[in-house]
Amino acid sequence: MNKILQFVFIIGIVVTFVATNPIETSEEWLAADKEWWQTAVFYQIYPRSFQDSDGDGNGDLNGIRERLPHLKDIGVTSAWLSPIYKSPQVDGGYDISDFKDIDPMFGTLEDFDKLVAEAKKLDIKIVLDFVPNHSSDKHEWFEKSIKRIEPYTSFYVWADAKIVNGTRQPPNNWISWFRKSAWEWNEERGQYYLHQFAIQQPDLNYRNPFLVEEMKNVLRFWMDRGVSGFRVDTLPSLVEVESSPDEPLNPNPGDDCLPEDHCYHDHIYTNDQPLTYDILAQWRDVLKEHSAATDKVPRVIMIESASRIDLNMRYYGNETHDGACFPFNFFIIFNLTKESDATDYKYLIENYFTYLPKGRTPNWVLGNHDRNRVGSRMGVGRIDALNMLIMTLPGVAISYNGEEIGQEDGYVSWEDTQDPWGLNAGEDRYLLFTRDPERTPLHWDTTKNAGFSTANKTWLPVSEKYKETNVKAQAPANVDSHYNVYKTLIQLRKKSTFQNGELTVQAIGKNVLVAIRELKNSPSYLSVLNLGDQNEIIDLSNIEINSATKKLKVEVASVGAKIKKGSIISAEKLELGPNESYVLSTDL
Ligand code: GLC
Ligand code: MG
């Protein structure tokens, strides 16, 4: 932490104990009755690693359907599925060869319909991944585009070669996320095509009105099959500057970044372009039309955006284009590490609210299929504290499958590597980029392949850690487990204080973060998280909340905590072991 922050922090402590200032979550947001998505937990399922029903080593739709009771048991009411569409699986299904069909590895459209119907019976909404930036190079649109067959000729971003000293070169210096030039020469068409991701993922061209309409039809197709919304994949990359200027170098690329890595450039011409915001507004209208024409329930759009905070917030839309739409808040993932202390957390949360547009729904993403699992990234000791945090802050919580048991990354050797990002980095550097470790199969029990599959070889190896960490061991109600912490949190967040209450955040010393939720005429809640690895003794009795804080009830306690759920404690002295964390209430 830099000196200025330390200074602010010291002053902060004195101030916060005199008067606590609630964070400016806008009045509109606090007052409004919430729609289903605004306080939901979206549980991300990575289908290939969730449950294999047919023994081929790959998870599938029927597997997900069999496991719906698990979702019901932990209490999640909406599940977002990573892509299940027809795909050569070069980039984990994000390379789609038919946007309106299911990959045979995952099942059929009938399987999908059955899954949605069964989920509906259990009050679970299904949200799909919508991948608008690119298709697979095996998509028939691309094959026709190569041949200049109308209307597909300009469905993709094509450009002429630049001839330098008589040799053919890409039109500019743009680099793909997965390394090296973002342009690939196509001999047959005699032009380069853009691919911001793998070579097999050509970028679609949103300046073509037929393409724009086709992609709207994709949204309509899946809404007609009963889905409740979409997670929009890599939206900021949707449109590029038309004149294709070279991108400048990143002034701070970091020590591990090489010239052919994506991090080497500052991607100002390939991200967050005005047309992208316009297309998004059109999609929101498509969703609104669908909901108006059917059950009137809002369909949600969740946007994957790794953009700078001000640009990220613009994806919330403006006054004329509001609706059930939010850009993921990835700042916990991007800006916090194992080393972050309570003041870093407090700053991050307050900073987020500083930028959040008025009346918009906050959200908190803890993990996904692109980032190391929480225990591996933030330290196993902090698993419960972090679940407590995202589940008790205002708004939406986004949780990746396996977080309910604190599953850690698996080990995937170079030989077993599947992720194109890892493969493109080569054997020496693949561990810097590969996303396979967070994608290894889910640990259900201690049977073969952790209960994930009966196959002799699963698509990614099952981690050995399943023997200690699995659903079956953690699920019984009397077990002190991450699972039961998670489950209790999901129940608790239904309380009106969590749905509509104000938020205040305090750091006590360097290590203890306290998030306070308050609502008139309702009990107050305090998430007290020891983010440090040392013992802490704290006094909560000075905290000004709207009822006396001499005594507090333990609503949730982290695994191994000394004080058990349901206990009444004195607020004056709370001893916290390393990472020991609680959600406390005035609901005595
Ligand atoms: C998103 C996905 C990631 C994928 C990429 C290209 O970032 O989350 O898994 O590789 O987009 O579709
Ligand atoms: Mg299977």
Side-chain angles (χ1 to χ4, degrees):
M1 190 173 50
N2 69 34
K3 288 275 166 313
I4 300 180
L5 267 180
Q6 262 172 20
F7 177 70
V8 171
F9 161 63
I10 291 163
I11 299 288
I13 270 201
V14 180
V15 175
T16 47
F17 276 92
V18 178
T20 51
N21 295 318
I23 289 170
E24 292 299 319
T25 37
S26 81
E27 301 284 317
E28 291 105 300
W29 192 83
L30 293 169
D33 277 344
K34 302 295 182 286
E35 290 168 351
W36 69 270
W37 58 276
Q38 290 184 287
T39 55
V41 176
F42 286 91
Y43 178 86
Q44 181 190 357
I45 292 180
Y46 195 71
R48 202 169 176 185
S49 291
F50 197 65
Q51 178 66 57
D52 175 17
S53 71
D54 59 0
D56 68 350
N58 298 296
D60 43 51
L61 292 177
N62 288 336
I64 298 174
R65 186 159 51 85
E66 284 167 19
R67 291 295 185 183
L68 286 174
H70 170 69
L71 271 61
K72 188 77 195 163
D73 191 55
I74 53 180
V76 298
T77 49
S78 18
W80 144 40
L81 311 188
S82 275
I84 45 170
Y85 315 107
K86 209 162 191 187
S87 161
Q89 304 292 335
V90 170
D91 181 24
Y94 284 90
D95 49 315
I96 298 166
S97 53
D98 187 343
F99 290 102
K100 296 183 185 166
D101 204 355
I102 302 289
D103 196 89
M105 177 175 84
F106 291 124
T108 61
L109 280 169
E110 287 81 69
D111 296 334
F112 180 77
D113 293 343
K114 274 203 242 164
L115 169 63
V116 174
E118 186 81 20
K120 196 169 180 195
K121 278 193 217 148
L122 297 173
D123 265 328
I124 297 170
K125 293 188 161 64
I126 300 291
V127 169
L128 289 184
D129 218 311
F130 175 53
V131 186
N133 180 66
H134 43 260
S135 74
S136 159
D137 61 345
K138 297 292 179 301
H139 197 295
E140 67 162 315
W141 295 346
F142 189 64
E143 285 164 355
K144 290 182 173 161
S145 195
I146 292 175
K147 297 187 176 1
R148 299 181 197 258
I149 297 173
E150 290 304 340
Y152 305 103
T153 306
S154 65
F155 259 39
Y156 294 83
V157 183
W158 293 99
D160 290 333
K162 196 163 77 181
I163 305 296
V164 182
N165 299 328
T167 59
R168 188 183 69 215
Q169 284 189 10
N172 59 35
N173 73 347
W174 295 353
I175 289 182
S176 138
W177 271 92
F178 297 158
R179 303 195 81 236
K180 304 197 175 164
S181 176
W183 296 96
E184 182 72 7
W185 178 252
N186 182 274
E187 196 58 49
E188 190 178 345
R189 169 141 169 167
Q191 278 189 309
Y192 281 95
Y193 66 85
L194 180 71
H195 61 91
Q196 292 213 50
F197 291 86
I199 292 171
Q200 299 88 340
Q201 290 168 298
D203 270 48
L204 291 160
N205 175 20
Y206 281 81
R207 293 195 171 86
N208 180 315
F210 295 105
L211 180 270
V212 171
E213 194 51 33
E214 282 290 3
M215 293 309 279
K216 287 183 186 168
N217 287 335
V218 171
L219 297 172
R220 294 180 182 119
F221 177 87
W222 293 105
M223 286 192 290
D224 287 343
R225 295 196 105 92
V227 312
S228 297
F230 301 91
R231 173 262 192 190
V232 181
D233 185 63
T234 189
L235 181 64
S237 348
L238 197 73
V239 177
E240 303 75 32
V241 170
E242 216 169 1
S243 56
S244 304
D246 273 356
E247 284 186 326
L249 300 185
N250 180 354
N252 303 304
D255 293 344
D256 289 328
C257 190
L258 299 181
E260 291 190 315
D261 293 337
H262 189 257
C263 42
Y264 209 72
H265 288 183
D266 196 358
H267 300 277
I268 53 173
Y269 298 129
T270 49
N271 278 288
D272 308 301
Q273 297 302 309
L275 181 57
T276 303
Y277 293 94
D278 181 57
I279 300 282
L280 171 63
Q282 296 182 37
W283 292 337
R284 278 204 291 262
D285 288 343
V286 171
L287 267 66
K288 277 193 202 164
E289 277 159 27
H290 181 90
S291 126
T294 57
D295 55 9
K296 315 282 184 281
V297 177
R299 303 298 190 275
V300 72
I301 293 190
M302 319 192 283
I303 297 160
E304 189 204 21
S305 149
S307 303
R308 215 177 53 210
I309 193 160
D310 53 330
L311 298 169
N312 178 280
M313 292 296 181
R314 286 177 52 197
Y315 292 110
Y316 271 106
N318 56 28
E319 284 73 37
T320 47
H321 283 104
D322 56 346
C325 172
F326 59 89
F328 279 157
N329 166 4
F330 280 134
F331 299 102
I332 294 180
I333 293 183
F334 292 160
N335 298 359
L336 299 177
T337 66
K338 280 183 184 152
E339 276 72 47
S340 302
D341 64 27
T343 58
D344 300 325
Y345 278 74
K346 175 175 154 69
Y347 174 79
L348 183 130
I349 295 164
E350 292 180 343
N351 190 54
Y352 178 74
F353 283 106
T354 305
Y355 282 94
L356 184 72
K358 269 208 166 4
R360 296 301 193 237
T361 302
N363 74 91
W364 310 92
V365 184
L366 194 51
N368 62 38
H369 64 296
D370 294 327
R371 295 286 158 167
N372 295 104
R373 284 184 174 278
V374 180
S376 309
R377 176 166 26 99
M378 305 294 264
V380 279
R382 296 185 185 83
I383 290 169
D384 294 327
L386 283 159
N387 279 330
M388 286 179 188
L389 184 68
I390 66 155
M391 299 277 190
T392 61
L393 287 174
V396 177
I398 319 275
S399 183
Y400 181 52
N401 54 196
E403 276 167 25
E404 69 274 39
I405 54 167
Q407 183 167 328
E408 290 170 68
D409 284 348
Y411 170 73
V412 183
S413 69
W414 169 247
E415 287 68 34
D416 286 336
T417 295
Q418 303 274 343
D419 180 15
W421 205 347
L423 292 170
N424 288 353
E427 186 169 359
D428 292 343
R429 297 173 77 233
Y430 85 100
L431 285 172
L432 283 174
F433 298 98
T434 180
R435 297 166 295 176
D436 290 333
E438 56 266 30
R439 297 176 179 180
T440 60
L442 210 87
H443 305 170
W444 294 104
D445 54 41
T446 53
T447 63
K448 184 177 181 182
N449 295 320
F452 159 69
S453 170
T454 55
N456 286 329
K457 194 168 163 53
T458 55
W459 82 283
L460 280 177
V462 176
S463 162
E464 278 302 303
K465 294 194 174 139
Y466 77 91
K467 288 169 191 148
E468 294 83 52
T469 307
N470 62 69
V471 171
K472 190 158 184 223
Q474 292 195 19
N478 57 351
V479 178
D480 184 20
S481 65
H482 299 305
Y483 187 99
N484 284 318
V485 169
Y486 189 98
K487 192 172 158 175
T488 313
L489 286 166
I490 291 189
Q491 290 310 318
L492 196 63
R493 61 186 263 117
K494 293 184 185 144
K495 303 256 183 208
S496 53
T497 308
F498 288 111
Q499 303 269 309
N500 296 309
E502 277 180 337
L503 168 72
T504 311
V505 183
Q506 298 190 11
I508 303 183
K510 229 170 117 48
N511 292 325
V512 181
L513 184 77
V514 185
I516 304 158
R517 300 295 308 277
E518 292 174 276
L519 182 70
K520 256 204 193 104
N521 306 322
S522 302
S524 301
Y525 291 84
L526 293 84
S527 300
V528 181
L529 317 176
N530 182 4
L531 299 163
D533 299 324
Q534 295 135 33
N535 293 316
E536 299 284 341
I537 300 177
I538 58 164
D539 177 356
L540 295 167
S541 62
N542 289 335
I543 288 186
E544 280 184 18
I545 47 181
N546 58 17
S547 46
T549 44
K550 291 278 169 270
K551 294 234 173 305
L552 293 163
K553 180 160 116 201
V554 175
E555 299 283 352
V556 193
S558 60
V559 170
K562 287 184 291 293
I563 312 167
K564 297 298 161 212
K565 184 173 145 184
S567 314
I568 308 292
I569 61 164
S570 151
E572 273 150 24
K573 190 177 170 205
L574 177 59
E575 289 186 39
L576 302 168
N579 295 137
E580 195 169 313
S581 300
Y582 296 96
V583 182
L584 307 170
S585 78
T586 60
D587 189 13
L588 299 178

